[in-house]
């Protein structure tokens, strides 16, 4: 009996050793749906650091088009999702307001890649996140959160409007839908994997 238990324990240890956990950032402008995306895909209860919006913040935060928004992230969101057996993603949602950008460098340490969530009604809010990841050579995908009532744009149009580097994926999604969010993350993992492989091959070539 002890030998059977020992074998099972060893198999569990081997499985844990083979498991791969990757760090992913979810970034974008204020009110674009980062907290919603992390919460919809996370298989654990997500950690949220939200505070209610106050009158004092109305002169600081641009709420145009976001009149129904009542809370804001002041540190980060955190969640986890298993993509397949042995592969889990740890998701870190960044705060959107520029006064919290000092947190981004710390959160970006050790990340595989990032999702830049975009709202076509406020597309200019995506530029800081795009610039941040391009300047640090961190692979990212742009995920257009398709809000009800917003004008629909194709992936190519969004890519041109954001002046993205060639090959940067643009995908359409619904941040509220788990399957849609999961597809975004899978696309990011695949893209980031190709980017990191290409860099490794060039470094040894």
């Amino acid at each position: 009996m002890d030998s059977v238990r020992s074998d099972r324990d060893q198999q569990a240890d081997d499985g844990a050793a083979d498991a791969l956990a990757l760090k992913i950032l979810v970034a974008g402008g204020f009110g674009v749906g980062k907290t919603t995306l992390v919460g919809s895909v996370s298989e654990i209860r997500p950690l949220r650091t939200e505070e209610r919006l106050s009158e004092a913040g109305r002169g600081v935060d641009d709420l145009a088009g976001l009149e129904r928004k009542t809370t804001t992230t002041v540190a980060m969101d955190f969640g986890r999702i298993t993509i397949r057996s042995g592969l889990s993603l740890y998701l870190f949602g960044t705060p959107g307001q520029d006064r919290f950008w000092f947190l981004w460098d710390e959160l970006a340490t050790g990340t595989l890649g990032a999702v830049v969530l975009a709202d076509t009604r406020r597309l200019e809010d995506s530029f800081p996140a795009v610039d941040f990841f391009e300047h640090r050579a961190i692979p990212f995908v742009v995920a257009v959160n398709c809000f009800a009532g917003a004008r629909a744009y194709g992936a190519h149009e969004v890519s041109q409007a954001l002046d993205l580097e060639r090959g940067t994926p643009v995908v359409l999604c619904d941040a509220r839908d788990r399957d849609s969010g999961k597809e975004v993350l899978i696309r990011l993992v695949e893209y980031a994997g190709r980017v990191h492989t290409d860099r490794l091959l060039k470094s040894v070539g």
Side-chain angles (χ1 to χ4, degrees):
M1 192 63 122
D2 290 341
S3 63
V4 172
R5 186 179 299 111
S6 177
D7 289 343
R8 288 177 178 172
D9 290 344
Q10 184 62 50
Q11 290 174 0
D13 291 342
D14 291 343
D18 293 339
L20 182 61
L22 304 174
K23 181 180 180 182
I24 301 295
L25 293 193
V26 179
F30 177 57
V32 77
K34 300 179 294 295
T35 297
T36 300
L37 177 64
V38 173
S40 68
V41 301
S42 181
E43 62 197 17
I44 62 173
R45 183 176 180 179
L47 168 67
R48 292 173 173 167
T49 56
E50 289 192 312
E51 296 290 342
R52 292 191 64 81
L53 290 170
S54 66
E55 287 299 323
R58 291 188 177 275
V60 179
D61 300 322
D62 181 9
L63 297 178
L66 302 173
E67 288 77 11
R68 295 183 179 180
K69 186 171 176 61
T70 60
T71 61
T72 183
T73 299
V74 295
M76 68 174 185
D77 300 311
F78 174 77
R80 185 190 72 205
I81 179 175
T82 300
I83 296 296
R84 58 172 171 76
S85 178
L87 175 59
S88 296
L89 304 182
Y90 289 88
L91 310 175
F92 293 81
T94 65
Q97 301 98 313
D98 54 6
R99 64 181 182 276
F100 294 122
W101 284 349
F102 68 92
L103 294 171
W104 286 35
D105 277 317
E106 187 69 27
L107 290 174
T109 302
T111 188
L112 173 77
V115 174
V116 175
L117 207 56
D119 178 354
T120 57
R121 300 170 301 178
R122 299 160 59 101
L123 198 58
E124 67 279 3
D125 292 353
S126 302
F127 280 110
V130 168
D131 290 342
F132 179 90
F133 296 118
E134 283 186 345
H135 290 162
R136 290 160 180 77
I138 296 174
F140 67 93
V141 302
V142 173
V144 179
N145 193 9
C146 299
F147 287 92
R151 180 179 173 183
Y153 292 90
H156 182 65
E157 293 175 288
V158 173
S159 180
Q160 286 188 315
L162 291 176
D163 193 25
L164 298 177
E165 294 182 353
R166 184 176 181 180
T168 302
V170 176
V171 295
L172 308 182
C173 75
D174 182 345
R176 302 166 298 178
D177 183 76
R178 176 180 171 82
D179 289 337
S180 180
K182 187 174 181 179
E183 285 301 316
V184 171
L185 296 173
I186 291 173
R187 184 74 176 274
L188 170 62
V189 170
E190 293 174 344
Y191 174 64
R194 292 196 300 271
V195 170
H196 288 297
T197 298
D198 288 345
R199 290 175 182 171
L200 179 62
L201 291 176
K202 288 178 181 179
S203 69
V204 298

